[in-house]
């Protein structure tokens, strides 16, 4: 019984040590309605982007600033997105780049090319050229 009490006391001591000696998590707050990360520019994204599609489309995607810019351009050219003021677009791109930047892996299945915006990156064919 004394060994069990020592283990319990030891666990409490370790937990208290960890709680007091390690920084608290910097967990980012998310909007309860959209799920978007609440960071500088999120309200502009909500106002301009979720007008036509769900915020989930943003959350499940990722990309560099160039990729997000190409998606905005594609939406403007093919989907009827209005032209954004330069300052608004810059803020939206910064938000997307910081909060939904490139990921190492994706669970999303590949879509047929006609359903995708143009890829801003050069591609390599199967022969490596």
């Amino acid at each position: 019984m004394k060994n069990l009490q020592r283990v319990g006391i030891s666990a409490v001591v370790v937990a208290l040590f960890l709680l007091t000696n390690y920084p608290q998590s910097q967990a980012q707050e998310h909007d309860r309605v959209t799920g978007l990360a609440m960071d500088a520019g999120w309200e502009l994204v909500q106002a301009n982007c979720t007008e036509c599609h769900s915020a989930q489309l943003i959350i499940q995607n990722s990309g560099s600033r160039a990729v997000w810019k190409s998606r905005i351009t594609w939406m403007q050219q093919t989907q009827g997105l209005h032209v954004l003021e330069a300052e608004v677009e810059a803020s939206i791109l910064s938000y997307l780049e910081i909060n939904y930047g490139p990921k190492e892996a994706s669970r999303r299945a590949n879509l047929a090319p006609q359903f995708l915006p143009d890829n801003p990156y050069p591609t390599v064919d199967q022969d490596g050229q």
Side-chain angles (χ1 to χ4, degrees), residues 34-52:
T34 64
L36 291 170
M38 293 174 71
D39 198 1
W42 83 273
E43 290 166 319
L44 288 172
V45 170
Q46 181 184 22
N48 288 281
C49 303
T50 63
E51 191 175 279
C52 298

Side-chain angles (χ1 to χ4, degrees), residues 22-101:
Y22 286 93
Q24 294 297 316
S25 169
Q26 296 289 328
Q28 189 171 33
E29 193 175 348
H30 290 81
D31 178 51
R32 288 180 25 188
V33 175
T34 64
L36 291 170
M38 293 174 71
D39 198 1
W42 83 273
E43 290 166 319
L44 288 172
V45 170
Q46 181 184 22
N48 288 281
C49 303
T50 63
E51 191 175 279
C52 298
H53 59 73
S54 165
Q56 287 302 310
L57 191 58
I58 298 163
I59 294 166
Q60 71 187 13
N61 282 284
S62 64
S64 66
R65 188 179 192 92
V67 167
W68 286 112
K69 170 65 175 155
S70 73
R71 291 175 182 162
I72 289 172
T73 301
W74 176 79
M75 286 183 268
Q76 289 170 330
Q77 293 173 347
T78 65
Q79 306 300 307
L81 175 63
H82 59 276
V83 175
L84 301 167
E85 293 177 21
E87 201 173 288
V88 169
E89 184 174 289
S91 182
I92 288 172
L93 288 170
S94 292
Y95 171 85
L96 294 171
E97 178 183 30
I98 291 166
N99 294 284
Y100 302 100

